[in-house]
Each structure stands twice: as structure tokens, then as C-alpha cells.
Amino acid sequence: METRILSRSRGWLDLAKQYIEEGDVVAFHTETVYGLGANAFSDAAVLRIFELKGRPQDNPLIVHVHSEYDISPLIDGEPPYAAALRKAFLPGPLTMVYPSTGKVSKYVSCGLNTLAIRVPSSPTAQEFLRAVDLPIAAPSANLSKHVSPVTARHVYEDFNGKIPLILDGGACTGGIESTVLDCTGEIPQILREGLVTREMISSVAGDCGIYRAQKGERPKSPGMAYKHYSPRCKTAFFGADALDAAISLYEAAERKGETPCFLCASEQVSRLGGRMALDLGGTGEVMARRLYDLLRKGEKTATLLIGIEPQETGGVMAGVRNRMHRAFGVEHGTEEN
Ligand code: AMP
Ligand code: MG
């Protein structure tokens, strides 16, 4: 199969609509990362997403809709704070989890009685969703466990010959996946940190919790249980106060004939004495935008990628730290993959 990458051009959405209606899968730009979309009402189309990605069958998908799409048949009511949050942050990088009415394919929620819904703000995504006028189930358009894609080229690298079409809307400005927010309880609870921060949600909803899975419990957001976002080279990770140890490892790797490279904030790059480094930038927003592109660059140029925890905290940094920890396998210690 030929994989076409189309930017805005005559007929591009007609083609996308045709593929979706035929039960095929189409990749599309969003403001967070590229998505791999299929008709959420079709069992076969949704299963195709899992097959293409190699995604575990218990990791549910987010359904994407355009701004005017009526989600009320899909969800079993919403608390008042959810309506306020929708008004404040949608369209945008916030996924809201509701009680489900079970109208979409059962494979979307993987056995959970909830449904995750997102209204992306990217013009490409909005136009695509309007053209098909269906709820589109879409995880990030990367092979399972690989780094999420923030350009059409990244999607192509993972799915060339496997999907018919990539709707190219340029580089993603957000850069990390949406915030996932459980809206089924008394107060909203963050299941995955992202660009809409806890502070932003609290300021509208009055309160906002952060979910941490207890040992032995099936996590509320199963995707968070998986190692994720991993570059395909050896990795190591150091705290912000362990720069000397990171440099020792770099030098030892060089002596062994490896190609080591750091990935860290601008301020840390300046303390690495000109050694090879990928510069994440200085603010949470910039680090979010650059992280996945640099992880993909790193795996192509280095044999050992050495991540250093940024000093910065607060706001979007919670999401950036979470993705860095998971990319570098911090919960599992330093590991090769
Ligand atoms: P991805 O689209 O690849 O970024 O992954 C989607 C994320 O949303 C995963 O972490 C899922 O666990 C989470 N998610 C999707 N549906 C639900 C749901 N119904 N309840 C909780 N989390 C969900
Ligand atoms: Mg993903």
C-alpha cells in the first residue's frame, strides 16, 4: 500500500472521508501529537488500530470529535464542573472521561464503563472531523512503545506502507499528549498530566485531584501502566544534581567507542563543556514542543541517550517530567531497549 502525505489541498478531506467510511485508518495532525484515527462505531476499524500499533488490548482509546458534534448520546450525563471545563478549555488539549452509554465500539474503552472524549483545536483535525462527522477513535500515531509523532514524517517512519493517508498539518505546537481528566467523580481527577495543567483545571472547577494507582490495582487509565515513548537506543537518566555522574558516563561511553548524547534543558547544556547534546529549551512549553522530536533525533544519531532531569517545575513541567521519566524508563531503572 502506498502511504500518501497530503497537506491542505483540493479533495484531501474527501479522500480521508472515503477511507474512514471504508473502515480504514487515517493519520491526522492535532495540536498535541499526530493521531491514528478510525470510525469509533466500527469494531473492525477500531481493532485495526490496535493491530497496526501493536497496542495492548487493554489500553483504551480516546474518541475525537469536532466542536459542534453532539456528544450527549455517547455519555451518561456530566457533572456541572465538566460543563464549565469544556467551556473554558475546548477545543484544546484536554481529554475528558465520562460514564459511557456504550454506543461506540466496545473495543474503544477496552471493557471500562467510561469513554474518553477530546475536541482538538488543530484546524486540520477540526476540518477532518467535520468532514467525516463521526466520532474518531485515535491513539497517538506511533508503533506501541515508540516515541509519539509530532510531524507527518514521524508517522511515515512508523507506518509507511501500512496506512493509506497522513493529513499533514505541520509540526505539532503542543508536543505532548493531552491531559486526561476523569470527570466521573465529585471532583475532576487528572489521570495523565499534559498541557492543560492542574492549576488551570482547579481555577475553573474549584478543585482537581491527581490519580496515582495503588499497588496491585488495575489503573484507571491503563495506558499509564505501560513503558512508553521510548527511543530505540540505550538510555540513561540522571537527576538535575547529578551532572558530574552523567558526564562520567558520557566519557566512559566514548572510550568504549559509543556515540553518547545528552538530552537536557538549555541551562544544563551550557554546563556540559561542548559535549554532544540535544537542547530541550528553557520553559515547560518549549520543552513539551521539542521533547519527542529530540527523542527521535537522539535515537538516530546516538547509541546512548543520556537524559537529565530539568530544574524547572510547575505548570506544564509535570507533563514534561512524566514523559521524560517514561521515555527513559525511570520507574524501571536504567534499561536497554
Ligand atoms: P494515547 O491516545 O496513545 O495517547 O493513549 C490514550 C490514553 O488515554 C491512555 O493513557 C489511556 O489509558 C487513556 N484513556 C483512554 N480512554 C480512557 C478511559 N475510558 N478511561 C481512562 N483513561 C482512558
Ligand atoms: Mg500513545
Side-chain angles (χ1 to χ4, degrees):
M1 177 191 293
E2 187 200 357
T3 300
R4 294 172 72 185
I5 303 179
L6 291 182
S7 309
R8 183 168 285 106
S9 53
R10 194 194 304 202
W12 74 320
L13 297 176
D14 295 335
L15 197 59
K17 183 171 160 49
Q18 187 190 326
Y19 286 128
I20 292 293
E21 286 174 353
E22 286 168 358
D24 223 322
V25 168
V26 169
F28 61 102
H29 174 271
T30 83
E31 70 279 17
T32 57
V33 303
Y34 274 75
L36 192 65
N39 178 359
F41 289 128
S42 161
D43 286 349
V46 172
L47 284 173
R48 178 95 184 110
I49 293 177
F50 285 90
E51 184 194 345
L52 280 164
K53 279 182 64 93
R55 185 174 174 104
Q57 289 278 354
D58 64 349
N59 188 2
L61 307 179
I62 295 169
V63 157
H64 294 63
V65 294
H66 63 77
S67 307
E68 280 80 48
Y69 193 86
D70 178 15
I71 60 167
S72 56
L74 306 183
I75 64 170
D76 194 5
E78 68 173 346
Y81 67 75
L85 290 169
R86 274 199 290 125
K87 208 163 159 224
F89 299 118
L90 301 190
L94 175 66
T95 295
M96 300 171 72
V97 175
Y98 296 101
S100 175
T101 52
K103 293 277 193 308
V104 298
S105 163
K106 61 179 182 292
Y107 298 111
V108 170
S109 291
C110 304
L112 299 173
N113 56 8
T114 53
L115 181 64
I117 302 184
R118 173 161 130 69
V119 185
S121 62
S122 143
T124 301
Q126 279 288 323
E127 285 167 38
F128 164 59
L129 293 166
R130 246 180 260 280
V132 296
D133 202 26
L134 283 167
I136 294 292
S140 49
N142 53 283
L143 291 169
S144 189
K145 297 197 178 71
H146 194 207
V147 179
S148 296
V150 292
T151 65
R153 180 54 49 180
H154 293 161
V155 180
Y156 191 82
E157 285 167 4
D158 282 13
F159 294 109
N160 177 23
K162 306 227 167 63
I163 60 172
L165 180 62
I166 302 169
L167 297 177
D168 186 354
C172 301
T173 50
I176 59 171
E177 297 80 358
S178 60
T179 305
V180 178
L181 189 69
D182 182 359
C183 297
T184 62
E186 285 286 300
I187 62 161
Q189 196 177 34
I190 291 179
L191 303 179
R192 175 174 75 186
E193 285 148 326
L195 296 164
V196 176
T197 64
R198 183 183 197 177
E199 296 86 339
M200 290 160 72
I201 293 165
S202 281
S203 74
V204 172
D207 203 353
C208 177
I210 297 207
Y211 174 74
R212 307 259 181 244
Q214 303 301 310
K215 265 210 162 73
E217 178 193 11
R218 186 189 180 194
K220 269 196 188 175
S221 183
M224 298 306 283
Y226 293 106
K227 185 164 189 292
H228 235 106
Y229 321 122
S230 311
R232 290 175 176 147
C233 57
K234 284 193 286 182
T235 58
F237 195 73
F238 289 86
D241 55 358
L243 230 54
D244 289 345
I247 290 172
S248 298
L249 178 69
Y250 180 104
E251 289 178 340
E254 258 190 343
R255 282 195 297 276
K256 280 194 271 175
E258 294 201 43
T259 312
C261 182
F262 291 106
L263 178 77
C264 54
S266 303
E267 176 271 328
Q268 294 162 329
V269 172
S270 65
R271 294 193 279 143
L272 293 171
R275 295 177 179 87
M276 205 161 69
L278 295 164
D279 185 347
L280 274 172
T283 65
E285 282 73 15
V286 174
M287 292 192 213
R289 193 176 311 138
R290 290 187 188 170
L291 178 62
Y292 289 150
D293 188 48
L294 294 184
L295 285 170
R296 284 195 180 233
K297 283 207 170 86
E299 72 180 7
K300 290 192 192 105
T301 52
T303 57
L304 171 66
L305 194 60
I306 306 173
I308 301 175
E309 183 131 60
Q311 292 278 7
E312 289 75 5
T313 54
V316 174
M317 282 311 296
V320 172
R321 281 165 183 276
N322 166 275
R323 303 310 190 278
M324 284 188 82
H325 289 163
R326 304 188 66 213
F328 286 96
V330 170
E331 307 98 314
H332 315 277
T334 300
E335 62 183 272
E336 299 187 11
N337 52 70

